[in-house]
Amino acid sequence: MALIDWLGDLVPRLHRAFIEGSRWKLYLQGLGTTLEMTVIALIFGVLLGLIVAVVRTAHDQQRPGRRNPLLGFFNALCNLYTTVIRGTPMMVQLLIWSFVIFKTSRNKVLVGIIGLGINSGAYVAEIIRGGLMSVDAGQSEAGRSLGLNYFDTMRFIVIPQAFKNILPSLGNEFITLFKDTSLVQAIGAAELTYYAFTIGGRTFDYMPPLIGIALMYLVVVIIFTWLQSKLERRLRQSDRR
Amino acid sequence: MIDVKNLSKSFGDHQVLSGIDQHISPGEKVVIIGPSGSGKSTFLRCLNLLETPTGGTITFQGQEITGPKVEIDKIRQQMGMVFQHFNLFPNMTIRKNITLAPVRTGLMKQAEADEAAIALLRRVGLEEKADAYPNQLSGGQKQRVAIVRALAMRPKVMLFDEPTSALDPEMVGEVLEVMKDLAREGMTMVVVTHEMGFAREVGSRVLFMDGGVIVEENEPAELFGHPKSERLQSFLAKVL
């Protein structure tokens, strides 16, 4: 009997959470912001990660006895960055961005993107570095032996080949980042979790909105994983070309 | 052309080359033979600084390339290198493999480089492969393309690092033919190889290396016919 009561109750609860006052629009808006934050933060993170990875591999691949002091300095800076970012909780970083560094900013979505992007960059740097190292050393030797400089060799020969090895890990990073956007709720950026939380507060009923957004996150991740595996299959085919 | 003085190289505690002196003149075909681990590949790779020597000097066309202020890319543009495992760029067509370096280093415009690439490919009989990818080629074809790729930079000297060692036996011939052609045209060549027939036929001088030093060097007929050192005698007894 209790179950039937609960089920009978569910319809008005769902109605309140999703239909009343066109609340579904808020979820869509939140989901839009979440995706937007994920994509921009990932682009930001990939650019940052690429720079860090190239600096670090360039530093490691210098010929002995010819160390460039400027590169040494940037390498130290990159090391500090990855150590600090990977060694502190994402939540704490977001709170610091929002309440310490950009405490006067009211654009919390932007602050969230900066926090997520800088966090992601540290992980992407390691992903890219691994990808660059996975390319056979003979490839860059061949490039350099032809008289191409370091950056042309990276740009035309090593990075395009590393890309295939990087792609799966980068997909996982996208998924992680997408889910981590929910933390930005804590600094008041209006994304999906934020709306669910607000609606839950307003209707005094947290279950429908929270389960609802959990499903939304899940569906997006499933779709993305499917797209990713399709793309990887494509790239593998081009190997057999 | 290339002057090597007291060259040494060690990896950590492991001494690979000790005190090598060599002079390579324009037009010479120097063939380096010796057992595995004798340092012959390392010596070759020192010549274009793919390995950094730990001691001694290398001078190329009057310029000390082991010195501190050397534009190594400029030097390498004049020294072609062919690798054991071809090292073609799998992400590019054959044409792009060949034209990338001449265009990027400013040696040629793209159209000019494309033309040069086709002309070179025609020479090695692979003209119709210009738009193929390296994976579609056989080992022998790959190595011929790799030679052409190095030649596209119009190098003054060509370095060959065991160019036929990774090939199926029936493909060795086609690669050696290309190298012989190149030798006939007067290219300066330094070749590390296990092909004694090639050494005998093409080499103007053969170096026998063992344990990081040049044990014996001579004209091929003399070196193969009347080996002086015991080490070379026993080596030749095994490989011939």
Side-chain angles (χ1 to χ4, degrees):
Chain A
M1 285 310 275
L3 182 66
I4 292 173
D5 281 349
W6 187 82
L7 283 176
D9 222 17
L10 198 56
V11 176
R13 286 171 78 187
L14 288 175
H15 186 268
R16 257 197 314 279
F18 295 104
I19 314 287
E20 210 177 270
S22 295
R23 288 200 170 115
W24 55 273
K25 281 185 184 162
L26 293 179
Y27 293 99
L28 280 187
Q29 200 181 323
L31 189 61
T33 310
T34 289
L35 286 169
E36 184 190 319
M37 288 177 77
T38 311
V39 170
I40 300 176
L42 189 73
I43 292 170
F44 191 39
V46 166
L47 290 178
L48 203 57
L50 188 66
I51 294 169
V52 172
V54 168
V55 167
R56 295 198 54 187
T57 27
H59 178 265
D60 293 349
Q61 288 174 349
Q62 286 180 101
R63 287 189 287 146
R66 299 228 176 159
R67 300 235 174 252
N68 182 338
L70 195 67
L71 200 53
F73 170 75
F74 282 115
N75 182 56
L77 209 63
C78 290
N79 264 330
L80 181 72
Y81 162 68
T82 42
T83 308
V84 169
I85 294 297
R86 301 210 301 168
T88 54
M90 171 82 146
M91 187 60 143
V92 175
Q93 289 168 27
L94 281 172
L95 293 173
I96 291 174
W97 286 116
S98 178
F99 294 103
V100 181
I101 298 170
F102 296 117
K103 59 181 169 192
T104 53
S105 169
R106 315 196 45 206
N107 190 345
K108 293 302 181 191
V109 170
L110 184 63
V111 173
I113 287 173
I114 291 172
L116 288 169
I118 287 181
N119 180 279
S120 179
Y123 292 93
V124 172
E126 291 303 304
I127 293 172
I128 294 181
R129 208 159 76 95
L132 293 179
M133 286 192 298
S134 73
V135 176
D136 177 30
Q139 289 290 309
S140 71
E141 280 182 359
R144 297 307 301 274
S145 81
L146 288 165
L148 292 172
N149 62 34
Y150 179 79
F151 283 99
D152 274 359
T153 304
M154 287 301 252
R155 181 174 152 203
F156 294 103
I157 299 163
V158 179
I159 291 177
Q161 293 183 58
F163 184 71
K164 254 181 231 184
N165 303 329
I166 291 171
L167 205 67
S169 316
L170 215 53
N172 293 340
E173 179 61 22
F174 179 88
I175 289 172
T176 306
L177 200 56
F178 172 70
K179 292 181 296 182
D180 281 351
T181 53
S182 63
L183 293 172
V184 175
Q185 178 262 144
I187 63 170
E191 43 69 70
L192 188 56
T193 306
Y194 176 90
Y195 282 119
F197 217 65
T198 314
I199 291 166
R202 198 160 301 159
T203 57
F204 304 106
D205 189 4
Y206 284 97
M207 192 279 278
L210 289 183
I211 300 292
I213 62 164
L215 287 173
M216 292 180 207
Y217 282 114
L218 186 63
V219 167
V220 172
V221 169
I222 288 171
I223 291 173
F224 185 74
T225 311
W226 176 73
L227 284 175
Q228 195 189 349
S229 68
K230 260 188 97 164
L231 182 62
E232 277 167 31
R233 218 168 313 139
R234 257 260 188 73
L235 284 176
R236 264 201 306 279
Q237 271 164 6
S238 74
D239 268 350
R240 289 193 289 266
R241 192 167 41 187
Chain B
M1 180 169 233
I2 305 179
D3 213 15
V4 179
K5 285 211 171 71
N6 199 25
L7 178 73
S8 63
K9 168 74 183 173
S10 51
F11 294 103
D13 290 339
H14 181 53
Q15 185 87 20
V16 187
L17 297 175
S18 17
I20 302 228
D21 290 296
Q22 247 325 292
H23 180 80
I24 296 161
S25 313
E28 253 195 316
K29 291 100 185 69
V30 177
V31 181
I32 307 173
I33 60 170
S36 321
S38 58
K40 51 194 193 308
S41 277
T42 307
F43 172 61
L44 191 77
R45 289 162 57 84
C46 279
L47 294 181
N48 67 351
L49 297 194
L50 280 186
E51 301 290 351
T52 313
T54 35
T57 60
I58 300 169
T59 312
F60 176 64
Q61 299 195 309
Q63 191 184 9
E64 191 189 317
I65 64 174
T66 38
K69 278 243 154 61
V70 174
E71 283 187 76
I72 188 59
D73 296 332
K74 289 268 175 294
I75 303 290
R76 285 179 180 147
Q77 285 164 23
Q78 304 171 55
M79 298 173 130
M81 186 161 201
V82 177
F83 299 86
Q84 181 177 355
H85 296 286
F86 331 127
N87 298 353
L88 294 182
F89 309 132
N91 55 322
M92 302 172 200
T93 60
I94 300 306
R95 189 197 310 274
K96 194 77 210 277
N97 262 277
I98 298 168
T99 58
L100 177 71
V103 172
R104 290 301 302 174
T105 57
L107 183 69
M108 302 175 194
K109 295 261 177 290
Q110 184 69 51
E112 194 186 344
D114 282 341
E115 235 169 80
I118 292 298
L120 283 165
L121 282 173
R122 193 174 299 139
R123 253 178 64 176
V124 298
L126 291 173
E127 195 187 349
E128 78 283 7
K129 299 289 185 187
D131 293 307
Y133 281 83
N135 287 353
Q136 299 168 313
L137 269 55
S138 72
Q141 291 173 331
K142 281 182 195 169
Q143 196 61 301
R144 283 186 276 159
V145 169
I147 293 172
V148 160
R149 179 177 68 177
L151 289 177
M153 288 300 293
R154 298 184 190 134
K156 303 259 179 2
V157 53
M158 286 284 286
L159 312 175
F160 292 86
D161 189 3
E162 302 199 20
T164 57
S165 298
L167 294 176
D168 288 343
E170 76 263 32
M171 291 172 180
V172 170
E174 60 191 67
V175 172
L176 290 182
E177 271 317 306
V178 173
M179 292 170 64
K180 284 176 197 168
D181 270 349
L182 204 53
R184 273 193 288 274
E185 285 164 23
M187 174 63 78
T188 311
M189 294 162 72
V190 184
V191 185
V192 171
T193 188
H194 293 293
E195 294 294 328
M196 297 303 147
F198 177 84
R200 199 185 296 227
E201 187 186 334
V202 179
S204 47
R205 195 150 52 92
V206 180
L207 314 181
F208 171 64
M209 283 184 75
D210 190 28
V213 295
I214 296 170
V215 178
E216 199 169 328
E217 65 174 288
N218 218 326
E219 288 167 13
E222 195 58 26
L223 185 117
F224 288 109
H226 308 284
K228 292 182 184 67
S229 65
E230 213 170 294
R231 189 66 196 84
L232 177 57
Q233 284 164 10
S234 78
F235 176 76
L236 290 178
K238 274 179 218 148
V239 298
L240 289 182

